Amino acid sequence: MTVLYIHATDGIYIISSDAIMNYAIYSRIFQFASLFIGRIGVPFFLMITGYLLLGRPYDDERIKNFWNNNCKKLVIITIIWAVIYAVSLQIVTVGSGQVNYAEAGALFFSHMWYMPIIGMYLSMPFVSNVVEHFSPRTINQATIVFAFLGFLLPFITLVLDMHGIHNVTIQYCLGFSGGIYGIYIILGYLVKKGLFKKYSSANMGLLAIVSFIICLWFQYYSYIRGYSFFLWYEFQFILTGSFALFELCSRMKKVRALPFVSFLSKYSFAVFLVHNLFRLPLLSLVVQLPYTEPVKAIILWILLIIFSYAAVVVIYRIPRFGKYILYMR
């Protein structure tokens, strides 16, 4: 839901960028808030990955099965969808001049940036065996050090650059850790181990709210200074905000509307794969509506949900397509 939301919001605001200086302040605040809401989707997915896949025992046979049954198919499906989008973009853009398609094309492929994280997925069995040899407290200490290098140091560099002190960088490599994305995965594992249960839900909620406010303020501060800042996953308050919300979700004793949640979950990755097929055609229509950008973004988001879920439900019923094209079980 958050990925579709951020893609809808980004689509409206990027395509409407010619009028960017004319946005009302409430529209600008909406954009900044939407970036935080949308950005928690990928951290949630990564923490869910760590929560579910780490801590399992793997031997040589289980690793081979994991690669053959999970990873190989995922790589093939990624290639297939890269081809589908390359062809689709050519078809959709022929003879249309209503949208800035140079920017729209970048939006159309925006989900593909995420797929190189498959490399981390390939390494998951090895990481799973390693973390089981150490206590969660020890792993957490290492995670704090990695987070300092991956989140805090870049933030310091960003603040200095924003205030005219340029090219202040510290060279380090987090390659073996998976970088910032690996940190999210390990946090998911530590949540499963109950390492943070000692902190009250009120404190976790406060951390999430404070993280949201800081992200909002930092974007606005960058905007009024004329500094080009793009909220991304290495921003430390995306880390703290998404982690606090994930920890709170892990404490839920009961899932409300379970059948509906299960439905969303079943088709979630398939929707991730197909939704950009609808985003560009819908975007060219919604952007022309006589409404403000926030209203257009919400409309586009709702339409993306309806069209994407309807499409994958239909495709899933076609023999073999659900399994081999949508990566569904």
Side-chain angles (χ1 to χ4, degrees):
M1 293 295 98
T2 57
V3 168
L4 266 61
Y5 181 73
I6 192 64
H7 284 179
T9 304
D10 272 354
I12 292 297
Y13 277 85
I14 291 177
I15 296 304
S16 302
S17 59
D18 290 342
I20 196 167
M21 297 306 295
N22 298 322
Y23 291 160
I25 186 63
Y26 81 90
S27 180
R28 181 69 63 184
I29 297 299
F30 173 86
Q31 181 189 19
F32 295 155
S34 294
L35 281 168
F36 175 86
I37 295 169
R39 289 286 179 257
I40 67 174
V42 168
F44 256 64
F45 180 81
L46 293 169
M47 287 185 280
I48 289 171
T49 301
Y51 193 101
L52 296 178
L53 292 185
L54 294 185
R56 298 179 179 183
Y58 288 90
D59 54 21
D60 289 346
E61 190 62 29
R62 290 196 66 181
I63 290 176
K64 291 178 182 177
N65 290 335
F66 180 78
W67 285 348
N68 287 329
N69 297 328
N70 297 73
C71 298
K72 182 173 69 175
K73 294 175 183 177
L74 188 57
V75 171
I76 293 172
I77 286 171
T78 299
I79 296 172
I80 290 173
W81 278 94
V83 174
I84 290 174
Y85 276 112
V87 174
S88 300
L89 182 62
Q90 295 301 315
I91 295 173
V92 171
T93 57
V94 168
S96 177
Q98 296 176 341
V99 176
N100 183 342
Y101 283 101
E103 294 178 340
L107 287 173
F108 212 62
F109 287 99
S110 61
H111 81 299
M112 295 305 295
W113 75 266
Y114 183 75
M115 302 317 289
I117 297 178
I118 290 173
M120 297 172 61
Y121 197 55
L122 286 165
S123 305
M124 203 63 61
F126 301 105
V127 178
S128 182
N129 283 347
V130 168
V131 296
E132 283 298 287
H133 284 82
F134 301 95
S135 72
R137 188 174 299 276
T138 300
I139 297 171
N140 187 48
Q141 291 172 348
T143 303
I144 292 173
V145 174
F146 285 128
F148 175 82
L149 295 172
F151 290 88
L152 185 57
L153 291 184
F155 176 72
I156 294 173
T157 300
L158 171 66
V159 172
L160 291 175
D161 188 65
M162 184 184 298
H163 292 86
I165 305 175
H166 306 298
N167 302 319
V168 179
T169 58
I170 300 175
Q171 297 296 321
Y172 56 88
C173 178
L174 297 178
F176 280 110
S177 71
I180 62 170
Y181 304 112
I183 293 171
Y184 285 113
I185 290 175
I186 294 297
L187 279 175
Y189 168 77
L190 294 175
V191 168
K192 178 173 69 173
K193 289 296 185 179
L195 191 65
F196 310 106
K197 293 295 186 287
K198 60 185 177 182
Y199 301 109
S200 70
S201 295
N203 286 336
M204 283 294 167
L206 181 62
L207 178 59
I209 293 172
V210 170
S211 298
F212 169 74
I213 293 173
I214 292 177
C215 284
L216 200 65
W217 174 83
F218 197 87
Q219 291 177 92
Y220 181 74
Y221 179 70
S222 301
Y223 166 69
I224 61 176
R225 286 189 61 88
Y227 184 84
S228 178
F229 169 71
F230 187 64
L231 189 67
W232 199 245
Y233 305 109
E234 77 275 6
F235 193 64
Q236 62 193 52
F237 296 103
I238 292 293
L239 172 71
T240 56
S242 60
F243 157 71
L245 290 172
F246 187 79
E247 170 64 28
L248 287 173
C249 288
S250 75
R251 299 179 183 187
M252 295 173 62
K253 302 299 182 183
K254 181 181 179 181
V255 179
R256 297 180 180 178
L258 181 58
F260 179 66
V261 174
S262 297
F263 170 80
L264 295 179
S265 175
K266 176 180 179 178
Y267 295 101
S268 59
F269 188 69
V271 165
F272 171 76
L273 290 173
V274 308
H275 77 279
N276 273 316
L277 289 174
F278 301 102
R279 180 166 61 149
L280 193 53
L282 288 172
L283 178 59
S284 64
L285 298 175
V286 174
V287 75
Q288 300 178 65
L289 295 176
Y291 304 119
T292 61
E293 274 66 30
V295 175
K296 291 178 185 178
I298 297 297
I299 292 174
L300 180 58
W301 180 50
I302 294 172
L303 290 176
L304 275 179
I305 294 172
I306 295 172
F307 277 83
S308 299
Y309 270 93
V312 296
V313 168
V314 171
I315 294 172
Y316 181 64
R317 296 180 180 274
I318 302 174
R320 297 183 180 274
F321 265 62
K323 182 176 182 180
Y324 295 105
I325 301 299
L326 300 179
Y327 194 65
M328 293 181 64
R329 308 301 175 88

